[in-house]
Amino acid sequence: MLKKRLLVLFYLSCLIITAQEKDSLLIKNGIDNPSILSTHHFGIFSSRINTNFKYAPPQKTILGFNYTSGNNFHPFVEAYFPKAPSVREQLSQDKWHNRRFQFIDQETTPADYLNIVIDAVIKEFRFTANIPINKKHELGITLRSYLITKGKHPFSLFTSDESIEWFHSNIMGGEDPFGRRYYGLNQVNFSYLDRNNNTLELNNNDFFIGGLEFNHYYYPELLINKSRNIYINFGSHLGLNTSQYNASIDVGFSVNAIKKLNLKNNYELNFAIGANVLRKNLIDIKEVIDLGNNPYIGSLQSEIEITKYTKKGNFNAFGINYHIQSRYNKKKEADYYKLIGKWREINGGWHNGVYTLYTYLSSWNLIYTYGTPKYQLSCFVKEDLKVNNAPDFQTGISLKIPLSK
């Protein structure tokens, strides 16, 4: 009789624990971030991968809307890429800003040529549905679109030229450190001529659909899930890019791990790390702009998030995320390219339009999330670490709503 009672109590306890775990996943499922991808002027045309730091598939289908605003600024710069091996070797002996190369014609001084100028506040709109397939699998579908703007107040309060230059002039950075005031505030100048003589040009209020993304996540059941509160998921990614400049298909793969710590006084701490790689333009549907000759884009992310649950069962979460992405162009070209720009007129960064295509990109993201069983609201700010202005400063807000079964 005693054994039966103990078995009944054990069974009821298991049901209660399972129910609590399911209920908790309706409110807080790991680190459920908004989309914090940058508004990079090349990246917006490809289907980059958002890191997934959730423990498991959602209990219900989740609909999400994500709005992002980023200030991108690169003064006009030209680049020559000599074709002759002897010239490349000669130029590689000098630092990039001391190299001497004068293009005459393709017979005398054969070289590839490109130029680029980027000045705009780029706004991204993402509509997402995350659909649970079963206890281990999840499907995510995202439609992304973009709007090119001058970034005037009040629609770009934090990311406008005026706000950023006020910060530089009064707090940090000095007066007009990158030449925004020299070229004029609140302008749209978005033009890129690639080395194949194809032109990408966008104007104020231009709007385009970037593409569709399909993300499948697998959450294996492992012993460390319960014994150490460590969760791992694997993602496979397919992107259909639909803009006129890069009609193509991308594929990718990701792996992520999350460690959960339950603390006193209704606090929770999560640590996470993730990595992904994307094969850009695996299939080109038609002729595309050269948006970087490095076919693979890889990225790493790590994050720490502290969560406080309220008496009503809602939560407030604060996260610090570090993101690093590989370069868009092959590094070896940086050994011999020749850059031409207004270096006398601009205090710094006149070369960034080309130079940063050959360096990795990194940023810090500060993320706040408020969650209830009915909705989850997040906002974030992004600051680039390498001061590459692609974007210089970025903000975003996200709303996620679970659908009732």
Side-chain angles (χ1 to χ4, degrees):
M1 190 67 176
L2 180 60
K3 289 184 179 180
K4 289 183 179 180
R5 289 180 179 178
L6 290 174
L7 287 173
V8 171
L9 288 173
F10 176 76
Y11 178 71
L12 290 174
S13 298
C14 291
L15 288 178
I16 292 171
I17 292 172
T18 302
Q20 287 176 342
E21 288 180 351
K22 288 184 178 180
D23 290 341
S24 67
L25 289 178
L26 290 174
I27 301 173
K28 185 77 167 65
N29 183 6
I31 303 176
D32 195 359
N33 282 332
S35 173
I36 57 175
L37 295 174
S38 72
T39 58
H40 190 278
H41 43 277
F42 279 8
I44 61 176
F45 296 100
S46 297
S47 52
R48 294 163 296 164
I49 299 172
N50 263 304
T51 303
N52 175 31
F53 288 150
K54 299 197 295 288
Y55 303 144
Q59 298 294 308
K60 300 178 181 179
T61 295
I62 306 292
L63 297 183
F65 169 73
N66 204 98
Y67 163 75
T68 294
S69 177
N71 188 302
N72 292 51
F73 179 76
H74 289 319
F76 179 78
V77 60
E78 300 174 280
Y80 286 96
F81 304 86
K83 295 180 179 180
S86 60
V87 177
R88 291 181 177 182
E89 177 63 25
Q90 180 182 354
L91 293 179
S92 67
Q93 303 303 313
D94 298 324
K95 293 184 178 180
W96 65 269
H97 47 79
N98 291 330
R99 294 171 188 163
R100 295 184 179 182
F101 176 79
Q102 184 176 1
F103 178 78
I104 300 174
D105 55 49
Q106 290 295 349
E107 292 185 358
T108 308
T109 55
D112 288 329
Y113 170 81
L114 66 82
N115 66 60
I116 187 170
V117 55
I118 303 294
D119 185 2
V121 173
I122 301 174
K123 299 183 181 293
E124 180 190 67
F125 308 89
R126 284 179 176 259
F127 298 90
T128 301
N130 291 95
I131 306 165
I133 300 174
N134 54 38
K135 293 181 179 180
K136 297 182 180 180
H137 297 269
E138 170 191 353
L139 175 65
I141 304 173
T142 297
L143 173 68
R144 54 188 176 84
S145 59
Y146 300 91
L147 177 66
I148 308 302
T149 75
K150 294 181 178 180
K152 289 186 176 181
H153 289 155
F155 302 107
S156 304
L157 182 61
F158 299 106
T159 56
S160 69
D161 287 348
E162 292 149 315
S163 297
I164 290 175
E165 290 311 313
W166 176 90
F167 179 86
H168 286 157
S169 299
N170 295 279
I171 299 177
M172 185 181 297
E175 185 67 18
D176 200 22
F178 298 106
R180 278 192 184 88
R181 294 189 188 278
Y182 173 82
Y183 279 96
L185 303 182
N186 302 324
Q187 304 291 323
V188 168
N189 195 358
F190 197 120
S191 180
Y192 167 53
L193 176 70
D194 73 9
R195 67 187 76 199
N196 301 315
N197 207 34
N198 298 314
T199 300
L200 187 164
E201 187 170 355
L202 295 172
N203 300 298
N204 185 44
N205 292 326
D206 277 356
F207 175 84
F208 65 93
I209 302 296
L212 275 170
E213 299 172 4
F214 301 90
N215 305 295
H216 169 260
Y217 292 104
Y218 169 59
Y219 303 83
E221 290 185 1
L222 305 172
L223 293 177
I224 56 174
N225 296 161
K226 295 183 179 180
S227 63
R228 298 184 178 275
N229 282 334
I230 295 177
Y231 304 86
I232 297 174
N233 67 73
F234 301 93
S236 54
H237 310 271
L238 174 68
L240 175 62
N241 304 308
T242 57
S243 73
Q244 62 176 310
Y245 301 109
N246 190 40
S248 59
I249 295 175
D250 305 328
V251 296
F253 176 79
S254 65
V255 58
N256 311 286
I258 311 96
K259 167 67 176 178
K260 176 184 177 182
L261 292 175
N262 293 311
L263 306 177
K264 296 180 180 180
N265 301 320
N266 292 324
Y267 280 95
E268 177 183 298
L269 191 63
N270 281 281
F271 301 91
I273 187 169
N276 62 68
V277 62
L278 180 77
R279 174 55 167 94
K280 299 190 309 163
N281 298 79
L282 180 66
I283 300 175
D284 291 334
I285 299 174
K286 61 179 184 179
E287 184 179 6
V288 300
I289 292 283
D290 175 16
L291 297 170
N293 57 18
N294 186 358
Y296 293 94
I297 295 295
S299 69
L300 291 170
Q301 281 193 45
S302 60
E303 184 166 344
I304 179 171
E305 182 190 71
I306 183 72
T307 302
K308 170 66 174 179
Y309 290 94
T310 68
K311 293 181 179 179
K312 294 183 178 180
N314 304 327
F315 71 87
N316 294 277
F318 295 88
I320 300 177
N321 177 287
Y322 173 71
H323 177 267
I324 183 170
Q325 180 194 293
S326 62
R327 56 187 62 88
Y328 279 97
N329 277 353
K330 296 178 179 179
K331 186 179 179 180
K332 63 180 181 180
E333 292 183 336
D335 293 337
Y336 55 81
Y337 61 43
K338 171 61 178 177
L339 306 185
I340 302 174
K342 292 186 176 182
W343 56 271
R344 290 187 180 92
E345 293 84 349
I346 303 172
N347 294 329
W350 64 269
H351 57 297
N352 276 346
V354 174
Y355 178 83
T356 57
L357 297 177
Y358 295 90
T359 62
Y360 67 86
L361 305 177
S362 60
S363 64
W364 285 102
N365 301 276
L366 302 179
I367 308 166
Y368 166 73
T369 302
Y370 176 74
T372 77
K374 295 183 178 180
Y375 67 90
Q376 182 172 296
L377 183 66
S378 302
C379 58
F380 75 92
V381 296
K382 175 190 287 287
E383 177 65 25
D384 72 281
L385 292 179
K386 296 182 72 64
V387 196
N388 53 55
N389 292 348
D392 185 2
F393 188 66
Q394 182 174 328
T395 62
I397 188 169
S398 169
L399 177 65
K400 297 180 180 180
I401 301 174
L403 295 182
S404 299
K405 290 185 178 181

